Amino acid sequence: MKKHNFNSGPSILPKSVMQQAAEAVIEFNNTGLSILEIGHRTSFFMEVMEEARALVKELMQLDDSYDVLFLHGGATTQFMQIPMNLLDSDETAAYCDDGVWGSKAIKEASLFGKASVVASSKDKGYTYINKGFSVPADAKYLHITSNNTVEGTQYFAAPDVSVPLIADMSSDIFSRQLDFSKYSLIYAGAQKNMGAAGVNVVVVKKEILGKIKRPIPAIMDYQKHIEAGSLMNTPPVFAVYVALLTLRWIKASGGLAEMERSSIEKSSLLYNTIDALPQFTCKVAVEDRSRMNAVFFLNDSSLEAPFLDLCKQEGMVGVKGYRTVGGIRVSMYNALPLESVVAFTDLMKHFAEKK
Ligand SMILES: *Cc1c(COP(=O)(O)O)cnc(C)c1O
């Protein structure tokens, strides 16, 4: 049966990317070797790394004041690597408590310095994005979660602040056009919108580095990774290659403008359907609704299990809400075709008619 993949992460990738990744496992670029068995310091792999780093900069339209790294570990590693590199123990960093992931970032930062929460939407179950809050002028940086994968909220305007802005873009990277030069550091785990699990992309403005007293273990030091061209130790070779294939696919499909157009089309269809059917409710503030992850509920919670059963029968994968939130979550990453959202909304309408 045809599957519609709404998984929140690891999640759907373009079919052509998986095809090419599979071929590279058998034989990489007529080398007579698999991508899994070539050295990371061979010209074959160094070209992969260089092209991937260059494509990130190109898609984000960033200049040479930025560097791009592909690093081990999920986004969770960045929760600690950021303060380790940027925050001395007697200094303060500002954090927005935007949801499950942001809260974890705050906890990790407080191991290195003072993590000051300047805005939180916890009072309403993280169903909105704070705007117009202020940040102490002496804060080393402000950290936000640009898209809240679990709660279904998204920033549609970067906070206007005078301190360096840092964003966890794990679940909306490369999904829209942004003025990326407003950010001093952007990071994302690859497995949601740009590839296979096992690698992070970190985009960093070089001028923010090298300003703290703390000694940093080499493997955690952004500056050392930059000097080594993101090849300080063996990188996750296969995951970097899958990210490159996805970046090429994004560019060939029309770049971030096309990703944005498609995600507006898909998410509008879903939210309009939720709002039109009295059986379903989305609690997220309308202006903050994520185009990547829609989180909503059946008003009669006893209908949730039968609805999820029907989804399963119809090949709709990954639509059960996050364990602490419940309800339904539909993730609409770049590679998800409109056709899948049409099938899902048809199923919602069909279910609502019978109830
Ligand atoms: C999934 C996710 C993370 C955690 O990613 P890992 O790769 O599992 O460490 C962090 N932040 C956001 C916004 C996420 O969606």
Side-chain angles (χ1 to χ4, degrees):
M1 186 214 291
K2 181 170 170 45
K3 298 278 185 194
H4 296 284
N5 185 354
F6 301 103
N7 275 329
S8 58
S11 35
I12 188 166
L13 288 173
K15 283 271 178 301
S16 61
V17 166
M18 279 172 310
Q19 187 68 43
Q20 293 170 73
E23 281 163 14
V25 169
I26 305 301
E27 184 181 357
F28 177 66
N29 276 1
N30 303 315
T31 54
L33 297 169
S34 162
I35 182 86
L36 304 179
E37 57 182 4
I38 59 167
H40 62 291
R41 296 194 194 281
T42 57
S43 61
F44 306 120
F45 184 72
M46 281 164 71
E47 281 167 20
V48 167
M49 183 59 102
E50 278 321 298
E51 187 185 343
R53 294 172 78 203
L55 264 177
V56 169
K57 250 195 206 172
E58 183 186 329
L59 289 169
M60 291 188 168
Q61 296 184 301
L62 290 172
D63 63 24
D64 289 339
S65 61
Y66 287 83
D67 218 303
V68 178
L69 302 171
F70 283 89
L71 302 178
H72 284 273
T76 307
T77 310
Q78 293 307 309
F79 295 167
M80 74 120 166
Q81 196 165 356
I82 287 164
M84 188 187 271
N85 276 264
L86 301 176
L87 186 64
D88 259 322
S89 56
D90 55 352
E91 294 177 324
T92 300
Y95 276 77
C96 286
D97 176 23
D98 297 314
V100 165
W101 294 115
S103 308
K104 291 190 187 200
I106 292 165
K107 214 168 149 195
E108 298 297 281
S110 64
L111 299 174
F112 296 91
K114 186 165 186 298
S116 168
V117 177
V118 292
S120 173
S121 51
K122 197 174 182 177
D123 58 341
K124 290 188 186 162
Y126 297 118
T127 53
Y128 67 100
I129 294 290
N130 281 287
K131 293 146 201 116
F133 52 86
S134 60
V135 173
D138 65 345
K140 284 301 281 289
Y141 58 82
L142 170 70
H143 179 283
I144 65 167
T145 312
S146 63
N147 183 72
N148 290 285
T149 328
V150 170
E151 298 85 357
T153 61
Q154 191 172 21
Y155 279 81
F156 289 102
D160 194 12
V161 289
S162 51
V163 304
L165 182 60
I166 295 183
D168 175 357
M169 295 196 184
S170 291
S171 51
D172 67 350
I173 193 148
F174 303 127
S175 69
R176 54 180 172 166
Q177 293 174 292
L178 286 178
D179 180 356
F180 293 97
S181 70
K182 283 190 176 167
Y183 299 82
S184 295
L185 193 150
I186 293 163
Y187 66 100
Q191 72 272 20
K192 281 156 190 152
N193 213 18
M194 62 172 293
V199 70
N200 277 322
V201 66
V202 176
V203 180
V204 60
K205 192 158 193 167
K206 288 176 270 190
E207 66 178 31
I208 67 167
L209 301 176
K211 295 193 170 160
I212 59 160
K213 302 186 285 276
R214 170 186 306 109
I216 308 171
I219 193 68
M220 286 291 130
D221 189 333
Y222 293 132
Q223 275 185 319
K224 294 216 164 75
H225 281 288
I226 291 172
E227 282 159 24
S230 210
L231 284 167
M232 185 156 87
N233 70 328
T234 315
V237 170
F238 184 64
V240 174
Y241 185 62
V242 178
L244 170 61
L245 295 173
T246 310
L247 290 163
R248 282 183 186 156
W249 174 84
I250 292 171
K251 185 176 170 183
S253 309
L256 301 190
E258 172 56 21
M259 298 301 118
E260 179 168 345
R261 188 206 59 74
S262 150
S263 95
I264 292 174
E265 186 176 32
K266 290 179 285 187
S267 57
S268 307
L269 172 61
L270 180 56
Y271 286 119
N272 289 341
T273 308
I274 296 167
D275 291 342
L277 296 173
Q279 290 84 352
F280 297 89
T281 303
C282 173
K283 298 176 186 170
V284 174
V286 172
E287 70 276 16
D288 302 325
R289 288 177 176 180
S290 167
R291 292 181 194 146
M292 297 280 102
N293 314 94
V295 174
F296 58 100
F297 296 85
L298 281 126
N299 296 332
D300 177 352
S301 60
S302 71
L303 294 180
E304 191 176 302
F307 181 70
L308 288 171
D309 276 346
L310 181 65
C311 289
K312 200 170 173 187
Q313 281 167 32
E314 298 296 320
M316 312 272 169
V317 176
V319 297
K320 190 171 163 55
Y322 190 76
R323 57 197 146 84
T324 57
V325 176
I328 313 294
R329 170 171 58 176
V330 171
S331 298
M332 298 166 279
Y333 296 120
N334 285 342
L336 184 80
L338 175 63
E339 161 204 347
S340 287
V341 183
V342 170
F344 185 81
T345 50
D346 284 349
L347 181 141
M348 287 172 73
K349 287 180 219 159
H350 183 69
F351 184 82
E353 267 164 29
K354 291 204 301 192
K355 295 296 161 184

